[in-house]
Amino acid sequence: MKRIVVVGSGFGGLQAVTHLDGMFRRDRDVEILLLSDQNYLLFTPLLPQIASSYTDPRHIVQAVREIRGRKRFRFRREAVRAVDAANRRVMVDSGSIEYDALILASGSRTEFFNTPGARENCWDYKSLQQAVELRERIIDLCEHADHTEDSAARRSMLTFVVVGGGYTGIELVTEMRDFLFGYAARKYRGIDAAEIRLIVLEAAPDLLRGIGPKLAAHARKRLDVSGIEVRTSTRVTRVLQGSVEINGNESLAADTIIWTAGVRASELIESLPGLHDRIGRAVVNAHLQLEGHPEVFVIGDSAAAVNAQEAPRVAPVAIEQGRIAARNVAHLWHGEPLDTYEYASKGMLVSLGMNYAVVKIAGIQISGYFAWLFWNAVHLYKLVGLKKQVQVAGDWMLGFIFPRDAAIVRRPRGCKLCGTAKQELAPRAMDTGTF
Ligand SMILES: Cc1cc2nc3c(=O)[nH]c(=O)nc-3n(C[C@H](O)[C@H](O)[C@H](O)COP(=O)(O)OP(=O)(O)OC[C@H]3O[C@@H](n4cnc5c(N)ncnc54)[C@H](O)[C@@H]3O)c2cc1C
């Protein structure tokens, strides 16, 4: 019996196991085991819509056991703590699991570039939990700003800084804009729209690297007319609780600073033997194999393939590499030549909130309402499973007809009420907002 272990239930890992499952369907001597610390696939392109209460968090995740259907691969919810490549085993909390071939697709984490205070004081935006926390945080601040009489404190509560002008930062800030101006400024009677500030800080001279100058200019114009302040060639040099230092000489007061400026390979990948690039990704050959360990493949956000080091860290790259790694396991065992990964851009689609997007695909560049319709159609189609497609389409339709849902369902980190001792939470002290 041979065992193939795949780590990570993201885009790359799930593509790899489903492909392996198809190739080894009749080979009962091969066991395929997926290990992941999450029991679902997170559809990250819709994550920004969680912060704006446009889409329900449960609608953008699909449980692994649902995706598996009648396929025969096994799934274990485990965090892999280390890879012992010399002895061909992965270490998990309950012991070790041996493998004959290993595909690592454990994604990435946020990189703060050693910016003082950033890790401690910024909000991260990579996981579903972080997205839900930020949603609750935004609503919580609106609740407090609604009745706070100190105008400086109110302004700070209503100032949101997004560090990073890549697609995550831009999609997130435009979603937040839709919520804050479209909902909060209307429903919270103590909040004046003029007091809401959304600021994007980007170290590079341009936004949305990779989309091209024409669409980047369209996006910039759209942000300007939406009232979002954009500062390019602006480096964050320090983050404190409640303020951010810019270019070492300017301070900006903001209660919420969200960091979307960089990613780094997961700790598991950084601990692998062999070469790593500047953001910790494992350097693999053109067949996605780890140097000195041909039975170990690294894919997706975790991998820097020698001939595609500049490939962006996006889902289509992880999916394509998942397919190639799966095929190469079979080729390796059958003594066949291995497939090579070549990066080819599948285009770039960036939503700029309700009714506007910029799209670059197959040499065509469009922006505006039709680009936004196209963005919606593509993402709905890419969602895994009819149930999720119906749920998300339902959320989008309801978002047109009804106001957003602004109920706080769990107390967010930094909530002003949470710091208060339980007995002090008398009804009088409880904030109910102004009606
Ligand atoms: C907010 C946001 C928006 C994005 N929008 C887009 C977009 O619009 N289009 C696009 O193409 N890309 C987008 N991306 C990027 C895209 O999500 C990634 O490039 C893609 O998910 C990478 O796939 P992956 O399989 O390498 O990793 P992931 O999809 O991140 O999956 C990693 C998996 O590994 C698991 N894992 C991690 N460590 C361990 C461990 N030690 N043990 C066990 N399991 C582990 C994780 O739980 C997860 O299941 C976005 C990302 C974010 C954060």
Side-chain angles (χ1 to χ4, degrees), residues 52 54 82 84 86 126 150 154 158 160 183 200 222 271 306 313 315 363 370 398 401 424 432:
S52 61
Y54 189 22
D84 179 0
K126 279 194 74 67
D150 177 339
R154 204 171 55 241
L158 295 174
F160 298 86
Y183 179 86
V200 178
R222 173 74 183 179
S271 70
V306 278
R313 289 164 297 277
F370 287 104
L398 293 174
I401 303 166
E424 290 172 31
T432 49

Side-chain angles (χ1 to χ4, degrees), residues 104-409:
L104 292 167
S106 55
S108 56
R109 59 196 159 124
T110 300
E111 166 66 302
F112 294 99
F113 304 109
N114 294 324
T115 309
R119 183 182 300 280
E120 301 79 21
N121 298 312
C122 285
W123 293 72
D124 211 346
Y125 207 79
K126 279 194 74 67
S127 68
L128 187 66
Q129 187 179 337
Q130 289 162 349
V132 173
E133 280 180 356
L134 183 64
R135 172 197 180 271
E136 313 285 50
R137 161 78 171 182
I138 295 167
I139 301 168
D140 181 49
L141 286 173
C142 289
E143 294 293 348
H144 287 283
D146 188 56
H147 62 82
T148 297
E149 279 167 18
D150 177 339
S151 64
R154 204 171 55 241
R155 269 202 307 277
S156 185
M157 282 178 197
L158 295 174
T159 301
F160 298 86
V161 173
V162 174
V163 185
Y167 59 82
T168 300
I170 296 302
E171 289 198 341
L172 177 59
V173 78
T174 49
E175 282 296 327
M176 287 169 64
R177 191 222 167 263
D178 284 353
F179 178 80
L180 288 163
F181 287 94
Y183 179 86
R186 290 185 191 160
K187 297 282 175 182
Y188 291 80
R189 294 175 188 172
I191 293 180
D192 180 352
E195 288 180 316
I196 301 171
R197 276 183 88 189
L198 286 157
I199 304 162
V200 178
L201 304 176
E202 167 57 51
D206 297 309
L207 297 178
L208 298 173
R209 192 160 62 95
I211 203 152
K214 186 178 150 199
L215 291 184
H218 278 300
R220 178 79 188 243
K221 199 170 159 202
R222 173 74 183 179
L223 296 180
D224 289 344
V225 296
S226 308
I228 297 169
E229 299 169 45
V230 178
R231 296 177 63 174
T232 46
S233 304
T234 301
R235 193 167 287 279
V236 169
T237 42
R238 195 149 56 117
V239 184
L240 303 169
Q241 204 178 3
S243 73
V244 57
E245 182 191 87
I246 300 165
N247 295 330
N249 57 19
E250 186 189 341
S251 177
L252 191 66
D255 275 10
T256 312
I257 300 143
I258 307 149
W259 190 277
T260 66
V263 294
R264 190 163 190 87
S266 65
E267 280 161 4
L268 179 69
I269 298 300
E270 291 214 61
S271 70
L272 287 175
L275 290 176
H276 294 261
D277 73 354
R278 67 186 164 81
I279 55 166
R281 296 179 303 172
V283 175
V284 289
N285 66 19
H287 313 302
L288 308 173
Q289 292 163 299
L290 195 64
E291 194 190 354
H293 299 280
E295 71 289 354
V296 179
F297 297 82
V298 188
I299 62 170
D301 280 8
S302 304
V306 278
N307 57 349
Q309 298 229 354
E310 291 313 312
R313 289 164 297 277
V314 288
V317 171
I319 291 169
E320 178 67 11
Q321 292 186 345
R323 225 175 276 142
I324 289 181
R327 280 206 297 264
N328 281 346
V329 170
H331 290 323
L332 195 66
W333 287 356
H334 299 145
E336 297 161 355
L338 303 189
D339 289 359
T340 299
Y341 175 73
E342 302 279 354
Y343 171 64
S345 173
K346 298 226 170 8
M348 199 164 169
L349 292 79
V350 184
S351 159
L352 299 174
M354 196 65 102
N355 296 338
Y356 201 98
V358 286
V359 169
K360 181 178 162 188
I361 200 156
I364 299 166
Q365 300 190 15
I366 49 167
S367 58
Y369 183 65
F370 287 104
W372 179 77
L373 287 181
F374 183 73
W375 187 99
N376 283 274
V378 168
H379 287 90
L380 208 52
Y381 172 72
K382 294 273 177 192
L383 267 167
V384 182
L386 182 63
K387 180 178 164 192
K388 298 292 147 183
Q389 291 172 326
V390 171
Q391 285 176 324
V392 168
D395 285 341
W396 290 349
M397 272 190 294
L398 293 174
F400 264 114
I401 303 166
F402 298 106
R404 303 283 162 106
D405 192 336
I408 297 175
V409 287

